[in-house]
Amino acid sequence: MKKKWLLILITLFYSLFAGEQIARLHYNGGGDWYNDPDAIPNFCNFLNNNLSANLLLQEAVVTPSSSDIFQYPFIFVTGHGDIKFNEKERKNILDYLSRGGFIYVDDDGLGYKETDKTIAYTVTGKKKVTYKRRIMSNKANSK
């Protein structure tokens, strides 16, 4: 859990001092994209208090097909149910990610592995998604 927050904090580091705003993704598919309305303000409050950041507490809302998505370095996705992108939305999301945008997906208890593969499929459109994970070894550090 601590590693996840550390990764998020490092990713946000470049935007912490500029009064940036985190955006929530308003997606289609039947999921409640608006779930947990306190998540973003609480997260921003934590970063502001503990890292002297200057993130805005009020979230923005963007859709996957909008060019507005490129105004936000960090996109928050949450909810129960399906997330579905049409081809235009899929291309826009991939373009956003390839330009350095970051998307954080809170699976809301649906199960990390299943949600991870579903999101990867939803964005890439590929039926088979290959994951490569790097694991630090104590052996490498002890030499």
Side-chain angles (χ1 to χ4, degrees), residues 26-142:
H26 180 175
Y27 56 85
N28 293 313
D32 53 347
W33 62 270
Y34 46 84
N35 184 48
D36 201 3
D38 294 333
I40 292 174
N42 288 343
F43 181 62
C44 292
N45 220 0
F46 174 83
L47 295 175
N48 290 343
N49 291 332
N50 293 287
L51 297 178
S52 299
N54 190 24
L55 291 166
L56 300 176
L57 298 182
Q58 186 171 0
E59 67 184 46
V61 177
V62 295
T63 59
S65 61
S66 172
S67 62
D68 292 341
I69 198 170
F70 296 99
Q71 296 176 20
Y72 304 95
F74 189 100
I75 303 294
F76 180 82
V77 181
T78 191
H80 306 90
D82 293 335
I83 298 173
K84 295 186 179 182
F85 298 141
N86 63 35
E87 194 57 31
K88 178 182 178 187
E89 293 168 333
R90 180 178 288 125
K91 286 179 181 178
N92 205 42
I93 292 286
L94 285 171
D95 192 23
Y96 171 78
L97 292 170
S98 70
R99 293 183 188 192
F102 182 84
I103 298 177
Y104 172 75
V105 179
D106 179 355
D107 68 5
D108 247 352
L110 296 176
Y112 175 76
K113 290 181 182 177
E114 182 179 330
T115 302
D116 190 26
K117 290 178 182 177
T118 302
I119 295 298
Y121 171 73
T122 301
V123 173
T124 63
K126 296 179 182 177
K127 290 185 179 180
K128 183 176 180 183
V129 179
T130 304
Y131 297 93
K132 293 183 181 178
R133 299 185 188 264
R134 294 183 182 163
I135 300 171
M136 295 294 288
S137 169
N138 287 338
K139 291 180 183 176
N141 294 333
S142 64

